[in-house]
Amino acid sequence: MPRQAPYLALADVLRTRVLAGEWEVGARLPSRARLAEEYGVGRNVVQRAVDLLVVDGLLEGRAGSGTYVRSPRERLRLVRSRHRERTGGRPRGAEARERGRADSWDADSRVGVPAPEAIAERLGIAPGDPCVTTRYEFLAGGQPVQLSESWEPLARTEGTAVVLPEAGHLAGRGVVERMGSLGIVVETVVEVPRPARATREQANLLGIGPGDLVLLIERTMYDTGRRPVETADMVVPDRYREVVYEFGVDRPVPTVPGR
């Protein structure tokens, strides 16, 4: 069995001490030199161990001051549901719940982007066909908690007032409402969740470490003719959010005794 790297072993020890409350929230940790002497390791080992706990959100570094125990970040719940809308929920409730407790978002759209082969297959179009692609960064308390990249066939919305998801009179109202304004009824949503590791770009945007655990949700929306109208890849950092799926249950038809 391979031996654990020294910095990982030290990180485990320091994590245990932090979680046990040996240092209170806001307390300053001993210096790198003192920790290195206490555990009989080099300062570079201490540095890597501390850096790992900073990435984990247990510690924070303050320039010129040292390393401190940070306040624990709440792990937000992201509920994936369409059930409540069909049973009398607010029309825009689904969009709010999909963002969990995110209170704002940034979006950047581009028109006429050629569809990559994988996206084209999901949208049922030819590779290279023009699309509208929008990148989202969802924020909670000013901190990023989710990324999303959406693709829509340009042929569906070209020349209309809803070609851009975050512009016009239906800005930010979601795919279902925008497509509905064009007479396109979105009937089915298919989601495929997969565990993944954050790329360096995703990590930089989410404030996590490259290779950290994320949930990748591949979503595709279909109209009543089973034609895709939008597909998206959502990236949810496991450290900040838990994803919950909610399903409605068909009620049994009451039976009359003796019949």
Side-chain angles (χ1 to χ4, degrees):
M1 184 174 180
R3 183 167 173 251
Q4 189 178 32
Y7 81 95
L8 291 176
L10 179 57
D12 287 343
V13 172
L14 295 178
R15 182 183 292 109
T16 299
R17 294 177 68 178
V18 170
L19 295 178
E22 184 172 336
W23 298 298
E24 295 181 355
V25 172
R28 182 179 182 274
L29 261 65
S31 67
R32 305 283 198 279
R34 182 174 171 183
L35 288 173
E37 182 180 355
E38 180 179 351
Y39 289 102
V41 296
R43 293 192 187 187
N44 62 322
V45 172
V46 175
Q47 182 67 55
R48 293 187 67 184
V50 169
D51 287 347
L52 185 59
L53 297 188
V54 169
V55 169
D56 285 347
L58 292 177
L59 304 177
E60 63 179 353
R62 300 177 188 174
S65 178
T67 304
Y68 294 78
V69 179
R70 78 181 285 179
S71 301
R73 179 188 288 272
E74 180 184 4
R75 195 163 181 252
L76 305 180
R77 171 165 287 198
L78 176 63
V79 179
R80 309 294 295 160
S81 172
R82 298 289 175 195
H83 167 60
R84 295 180 194 176
E85 282 59 55
R86 295 196 298 269
T87 55
R90 290 180 301 174
R92 296 185 63 188
E95 292 297 323
R97 279 195 302 280
E98 283 187 8
R99 297 184 182 111
R101 290 179 53 184
D103 46 42
S104 63
W105 62 95
D106 293 328
D108 178 34
S109 294
R110 293 183 294 158
V111 179
V113 180
E117 187 172 349
I119 295 296
E121 183 176 355
R122 284 159 56 176
L123 289 174
I125 59 179
D129 280 1
C131 292
V132 177
T133 180
T134 305
R135 289 191 171 191
Y136 292 92
E137 182 179 341
F138 295 102
L139 310 170
Q143 298 296 320
V145 293
Q146 180 184 331
L147 304 175
S148 180
E149 184 174 67
S150 167
W151 293 77
E152 299 176 1
L154 182 58
R156 290 295 189 108
T157 57
E158 189 171 17
T160 72
V162 296
V163 64
L164 295 176
E166 299 297 324
H169 67 293
L170 293 181
R173 301 295 287 269
V175 177
V176 175
E177 193 166 347
R178 288 174 47 247
M179 294 298 169
S181 72
L182 303 178
I184 301 172
V185 178
V186 176
E187 183 179 58
T188 307
V189 180
V190 175
E191 293 191 349
V192 182
R194 300 187 181 93
R197 296 290 178 179
T199 65
R200 185 167 298 279
E201 180 184 5
Q202 291 166 348
N204 288 339
L205 291 172
L206 291 168
I208 60 178
D212 279 7
L213 183 64
V214 298
L215 184 67
L216 176 62
I217 303 175
E218 178 187 302
R219 180 189 72 192
T220 304
M221 295 188 171
Y222 299 86
D223 65 14
T224 52
R226 195 61 183 180
R227 293 171 299 181
V229 300
E230 186 257 10
T231 193
D233 287 319
M234 292 169 279
V235 180
V236 183
D238 181 73
R239 185 189 314 156
Y240 298 155
R241 280 184 156 186
E242 61 180 8
V243 178
V244 177
Y245 281 84
E246 180 183 88
F247 301 91
V249 177
D250 293 334
R251 298 178 182 177
V253 178
T255 58
V256 179
R259 291 190 181 180

